[in-house]
Amino acid sequence: MDTALDGHARRRAAKRAEILAAATEIFFEEGYGRATMDQVLAKIGGSKRTLYNHFRCKEDLFAAIVTSVSDRVLAALRPPLDADDIRATLVTMGIGYLNVLLSREGLALYRAMVSEAPHFPELARTFFANGPGRASDHLCDFFQEQKMQGVLKVDDPRLAAEQFLGMVRGDVHLMTVLTIRKPRKAQIKKTVGQAVETFLCGAAPDLCNS
């Protein structure tokens, strides 16, 4: 009985992943406003009942796409187990975060939201809550912990998280969004490294002279 249940769960998870993959491609190509559930169904095949059993509507499907990309951002911002070196930890987290933003899915999602937000304000709120907002919350928790341990000296961990992520994105993200220039690994490393040094000089001045 347990084996049958496990098999059902695996098949359901596989179908959900298939739907998400197809929907991601369609939404990023067509835009949220033009994309339809029928297009998704045509791409994956099967019945409408199966599709709607996984996602009740287009809004739910798009929210799942945002969450999927956001989960990769949160994974990148998860501090390593040996997070004793705050400088190295922030560099690792920053590079991982920026790499997700500069990925094909990350860029497509950002461009889609900039285009669609004025027409679908509720969708924009969903995107922010499940995307950038989650990233800031996640990093805020880490900064709060480091503050309690006496490593960081920040009055507002949430604001510090937002500002740090803003420095990491910098112009590198915007230039890539606008297809002006895609940064090399060395530039990403330099951008993040400079952001970390600037941040630590304000949040942990004792480390600046170490």
Side-chain angles (χ1 to χ4, degrees):
M1 185 68 173
D2 290 342
T3 301
L5 288 174
D6 289 345
H8 175 73
R10 285 195 297 271
R11 289 192 297 272
R12 182 172 177 81
K15 190 62 180 181
R16 187 178 190 277
E18 180 188 1
I19 295 171
L20 272 179
T24 298
E25 185 176 335
I26 291 170
F27 277 44
F28 290 166
E29 286 181 357
E30 300 291 335
Y32 178 82
R34 293 186 298 276
T36 67
M37 296 289 273
D38 285 341
Q39 287 175 305
V40 176
L41 183 61
K43 193 171 185 66
I44 64 172
S47 67
K48 282 190 175 182
R49 180 179 179 180
T50 298
L51 175 59
Y52 284 93
N53 277 342
H54 285 275
F55 302 99
R56 296 175 302 170
C57 58
K58 186 169 73 168
E59 290 82 358
D60 285 353
L61 185 50
F62 189 79
I65 294 172
V66 173
T67 300
S68 176
V69 176
S70 176
D71 284 345
R72 291 170 55 196
V73 170
L74 297 190
L77 290 176
R78 186 170 295 120
L81 294 177
D82 54 342
D84 295 333
D85 185 339
I86 187 66
R87 178 180 278 104
T89 296
L90 289 177
V91 168
T92 298
M93 293 165 70
I95 290 175
Y97 169 72
L98 192 52
N99 279 333
V100 174
L101 294 189
L102 299 179
S103 68
R104 186 180 73 88
E105 295 84 0
L107 291 170
L109 180 59
Y110 184 86
R111 289 172 180 143
M113 285 313 309
V114 169
S115 173
E116 303 288 358
H119 310 292
F120 301 96
E122 187 58 38
L123 184 70
R125 284 188 282 272
T126 297
F127 165 74
F128 189 85
N130 292 308
R134 284 180 77 202
S136 296
D137 288 343
H138 189 77
L139 190 58
C140 170
D141 291 341
F142 175 68
F143 283 174
Q144 180 66 43
E145 180 182 346
Q146 295 301 304
K147 178 182 179 180
M148 292 173 63
Q149 294 178 10
V151 177
L152 294 180
K153 300 175 182 178
V154 289
D155 294 330
D156 187 337
R158 168 74 192 204
L159 182 58
E162 293 173 357
Q163 291 175 335
F164 176 73
L165 294 179
M167 284 194 293
V168 169
R169 290 191 302 271
D171 282 350
V172 169
H173 180 236
L174 183 57
M175 284 192 298
T176 310
V177 168
L178 298 175
T179 66
I180 294 175
R181 183 172 68 248
K182 188 168 184 177
R184 298 179 180 274
K185 289 184 179 179
Q187 184 181 356
I188 291 176
K189 185 176 180 180
K190 181 179 180 180
T191 297
V192 173
Q194 182 63 56
V196 169
E197 292 305 314
T198 300
F199 177 77
L200 290 180
C201 283
D206 293 340
L207 294 178
C208 293
N209 299 320
S210 61

